[in-house]
Amino acid sequence: MSIAFATPVIPDHVPENLIRPFPFVFGTITEADPFNEWVPEVHKGPDIFWTPHAYPGGTPAWIVRRTQDLRDLYFDTENFSSKDFSPYSKMIGDTWTNLPVEIDPPKHAMYRAFVNPIFTPKAMAALEEKIRSYAVEYIEAFRAKGECEYMKDFAFEFPIKVFLELMGLPLSLTPQFLEWETGLLHEPDMGKMAAAARSVVDYLRGEIEDRRKNPTGDIISYAVQAQIDGGRKLDDDELVGFCFNLFIGGLDTVSTNMGGQFAHLATHPEDQARLRANPEMIPTAIDEMMRAYAAVTTFRTCTREVEFKGVRMMPGDKVAVCTTLGGRDPEEYDRANDVIIDRKPKHVSFGYGPHLCVGMHLARREMRIAMEEFLARIPAFTLKPGHTLRRHLGMIQPVELPLVWQA
Amino acid sequence: MARITFVALDGSAKSYDAAEGVSLMRCAVDNDVPGIVAECGGACACATCQVLIAPDWLDRLPVAGPNEASMIDEDSGERGMVRRLSCQIEVTPELDGLVVHVPSSQY
C-alpha cells in the first residue's frame, strides 16, 4: 500500500480490544478478492470495532458488521446523523449539503417528498426503451470483436448516458462526466478529489442558472420550479446539493454493481448459462449479486454520547455503514459467501430506513436491461485468460474487466 | 388489538390479530403475506409495502402525508380501491375488521 497516513490518535473511549485493522481503505486498489478473502475474516471478529483509516482521507471510523445492527443504525437517526458523510462540500469551502441523503429527519422528509416523484416506478418505466437503446448501442459496438473491457466499453458510460438524458444535458459530456466521477470516487489524492468536486459544482451551478431562465422538462428544471416547505423555492445551496447528490449517487454506483455482477457471471459459467436460458430470473439474480457483491460504504456521525450494541461512542465519531459486510453476515444469511441466484435475499445494499436509495427503481432497471441485452446478444463469455482482477476500494469496483467470447 | 384480513392476488384471504400501534406493514411482513416487500423497513422511503383499501375505510385511516403521497401515483388504484403505504397506517381499535388487498405490483 503506497499511501502514508498520519499515525492515528486513539481516543480514550475506544477500548484496546476493539481496535482492529480493516483492509478496505478508500482510494486504494487491491488484487485480493475483498468479498471472499477479507469479508469472512472480518465476520470472525467483534460485532463492532474501531479502525484507524476507514473514512476517506484515512481517518478513523467504527465498523458495524452485522446486518441487523446496520438496520438499527439506519433507523437511529437521532444518535447517528447523515450530515457531512461525504467530504466534498467542506473540502472546497462550500456550504451546500448533499440532499436529501445528508439531511436528517424530520427535515429529510420534506426534501424526499420533492425528489420522490422524479423516481417513481412509473416514471422510470417510461425510460425503459431509451435505456435499452443505449445498452444495445454499447453492446453492438463490441459484439463482433469477441472481447470487451466491460467497465470502459459499457459499465462506466451507460449510466452516465441515462443520467445526462434525465438531467437534460448533452450526451457529448459523457467522457467529461466520467473523468469527474473518477476524481470524486476513486482518487486517493485529496487535492485532486477537491478539484473534481469544484469542477462538478461549477458546472452544475451554470446549468441551474440556465434552467432558471430557460426551463425545460428535465430534472434541473423541475428542481428550480419546485416548491417546498409550504410554498418557497429551493435556494442555491439546496439546488447544488440536490444536483450533486444525483451526480454522486446515480453514476458510479450503477457501474460498480454492473461490474460486480459481470465479474461473477464471467467466473461462474453455470449461473451465466442459467440466466441466459431463463432471462426472467435476472431481476432475482441481480438482487442476490447485489447482496454478495455489495459495493457501497456510507457513513454516519455520532451526535451524542451513546452506547450502541454495547459499544460506547462519542459525538463526532464516524461510523461506517459497510453494506459489503452487511451483505455477507453469516448470522443473517445461510451460506452467506455462496451466490445462490434464486435466493431472493432481503439485503441492505440499497440502504435501509428513511435514506433508502431514492434511485433504486432506476438502478434496478438499468442493471436488468444491461444484463438482459448482454446475455441475449453475447454468447458464453469468460474473463480474459491470464487477467488478474484488481478492484478499487471505497466503492468496490473492478478496475478493468476484460471479457472474451467466441465471436 | 384489531383483526386485519389480507387478501392475496389470487383472492385467498388470511386474517391476523394485530396489536395497537403496529403498522399494517409490520403485521403483513411478520406473517409473511406475499407481495408486501417493505424494502426500507417502514420508513416511508421505498413504496414497496403498497396495499389497496376500499374507500369506505378511508375516514378511519390517517391522511397520507406529503412524503407518502409523493410516491403514489394518483391513478394507481385498482378494483375500485385506493393505494396506501401500509407502513404509514398504524393499527387502531377502529380498524378491527379491515380488509387489505395486495396490489398487482409493488414496482
Side-chain angles (χ1 to χ4, degrees):
Chain A
M1 204 156 299
S2 59
I3 304 170
F5 291 123
T7 311
V9 177
I10 296 161
D12 291 341
H13 66 284
V14 176
E16 209 162 312
N17 65 331
L18 291 185
I19 302 172
R20 298 289 167 113
F22 187 59
F24 297 79
V25 177
F26 192 102
T28 59
I29 289 175
T30 182
E31 286 190 5
D33 177 347
F35 298 103
N36 289 300
E37 291 172 32
W38 296 351
V39 169
E41 286 304 308
V42 175
H43 278 304
K44 290 176 189 163
D47 286 1
I48 297 172
F49 59 94
W50 189 92
T51 195
H53 305 303
Y55 188 72
T59 53
W62 291 99
I63 308 291
V64 177
R65 68 169 185 85
R66 301 278 315 279
T67 321
Q68 189 52 49
D69 290 350
L70 288 171
R71 290 194 183 108
D72 293 342
L73 187 68
Y74 279 117
F75 266 91
D76 189 353
T77 56
E78 292 203 356
N79 289 313
F80 299 99
S81 170
S82 294
K83 189 160 169 39
D84 296 334
F85 90 58
S86 75
Y88 305 109
S89 179
K90 276 197 171 153
M91 69 168 35
I92 57 172
D94 274 8
T95 50
W96 50 268
T97 300
N98 262 325
L99 69 82
V101 72
E102 295 187 33
I103 306 280
D104 293 319
K107 216 175 155 195
H108 166 261
M110 170 183 87
Y111 291 117
R112 189 79 183 207
F114 142 68
V115 181
N116 281 331
I118 306 171
F119 292 107
T120 59
K122 192 176 163 190
M124 297 302 102
L127 294 172
E128 174 92 5
E129 290 318 308
K130 199 84 180 175
I131 297 173
R132 194 174 296 281
S133 73
Y134 292 147
V136 169
E137 207 176 300
Y138 281 109
I139 295 164
E140 286 301 318
F142 53 62
R143 184 166 64 92
K145 293 181 192 163
E147 63 178 334
C148 73
E149 202 285 83
Y150 184 81
M151 302 309 294
K152 182 168 69 66
D153 296 338
F154 188 18
F156 285 134
E157 290 197 4
F158 168 61
I160 295 179
K161 279 240 165 97
V162 178
F163 178 81
L164 290 170
E165 170 86 26
L166 276 171
M167 296 291 273
L169 303 174
L171 298 183
S172 59
L173 281 172
T174 306
Q176 177 65 76
F177 268 51
L178 180 55
E179 189 190 318
W180 286 338
E181 169 190 314
T182 308
L184 290 177
L185 290 164
H186 301 290
E187 178 54 69
D189 180 328
M190 291 292 119
K192 289 182 183 164
M193 191 191 278
R198 181 83 270 162
S199 300
V200 171
V201 169
D202 287 347
Y203 176 76
L204 292 173
R205 278 191 206 280
E207 292 301 312
I208 290 164
E209 208 39 58
D210 176 73
R211 294 315 184 287
R212 279 204 175 110
K213 295 182 193 126
N214 316 298
T216 62
D218 61 31
I219 290 185
I220 303 178
S221 303
Y222 169 81
V224 299
Q225 294 172 319
Q227 298 202 328
I228 57 162
D229 214 2
R232 72 171 176 90
K233 290 195 168 178
L234 293 157
D235 64 26
D236 283 345
D237 270 357
E238 288 170 328
L239 287 167
V240 171
F242 164 69
C243 293
F244 193 89
N245 184 49
L246 294 182
F247 187 95
I248 201 91
L251 308 182
D252 195 65
T253 42
V254 175
S255 310
T256 299
N257 277 285
M258 285 171 63
Q261 290 154 18
F262 274 75
H264 176 87
L265 294 181
T267 50
H268 295 77
E270 67 292 355
D271 285 346
Q272 190 189 132
R274 203 167 160 207
L275 292 177
R276 193 176 275 107
N278 305 282
E280 72 287 355
M281 289 179 68
I282 287 174
T284 307
I286 284 176
D287 265 304
E288 168 66 349
M289 290 187 247
M290 283 193 70
R291 174 195 71 79
Y293 303 105
V296 179
T297 297
T298 56
F299 292 88
R300 297 291 186 269
T301 306
C302 190
T303 57
R304 58 178 95 147
E305 181 173 350
V306 61
E307 190 169 306
F308 183 72
K309 313 280 168 176
V311 174
R312 193 159 72 100
M313 301 181 185
M314 297 297 278
D317 283 4
K318 294 282 184 200
V319 185
V321 184
C322 179
T323 63
T324 312
L325 296 174
R328 292 188 179 226
D329 175 2
E331 283 168 81
E332 179 75 16
Y333 306 103
D334 290 334
R335 297 163 57 201
N337 296 310
D338 294 349
V339 173
I340 303 167
I341 56 173
D342 52 3
R343 183 198 292 264
K344 298 183 182 166
K346 281 184 180 290
H347 60 67
V348 294
S349 305
F350 277 123
Y352 196 71
H355 290 289
L356 183 92
C357 176
V358 74
M360 155 178 100
H361 301 300
L362 175 60
R364 281 215 172 93
R365 193 168 291 272
E366 290 177 333
M367 294 186 292
R368 169 176 60 75
I369 291 172
M371 196 176 288
E372 283 172 358
E373 291 299 331
F374 199 99
L375 291 180
R377 288 165 192 273
I378 305 286
F381 59 88
T382 61
L383 205 55
K384 189 173 190 173
H387 181 79
T388 304
L389 203 54
R390 297 185 307 147
R391 288 180 175 90
H392 289 286
L393 295 172
M395 181 79 108
I396 306 178
Q397 175 187 83
V399 178
E400 305 101 11
L401 186 61
L403 304 178
V404 293
W405 58 89
Q406 213 68 45
Chain B
M1 196 77 93
R3 189 88 176 151
I4 310 289
T5 301
F6 289 90
V7 182
L9 264 184
D10 63 8
S12 63
K14 275 189 180 167
S15 301
Y16 306 98
D17 289 326
E20 217 171 304
V22 168
S23 72
L24 290 182
M25 179 281 282
R26 183 53 55 198
C27 175
V29 168
D30 288 349
N31 290 296
D32 292 323
V33 172
I36 307 294
V37 185
E39 212 161 338
C40 77
C44 199
C46 66
T48 61
C49 67
Q50 296 180 43
V51 293
L52 297 163
I53 297 177
D56 52 343
W57 280 96
L58 292 186
D59 58 353
R60 278 164 279 182
L61 304 179
V63 176
N67 201 8
E68 177 183 350
S70 72
M71 286 186 280
I72 295 186
D73 293 315
E74 271 172 28
D75 57 355
S76 64
E78 278 178 45
R79 293 165 263 160
M81 295 176 283
V82 295
R83 278 191 194 231
R84 291 293 306 267
L85 297 188
S86 59
C87 73
Q88 298 301 300
I89 299 172
E90 280 188 6
V91 171
T92 60
E94 269 196 299
L95 296 189
D96 189 36
L98 176 67
V99 180
V100 173
H101 293 252
V102 175
S104 54
S105 168
Q106 294 290 353
Y107 296 101

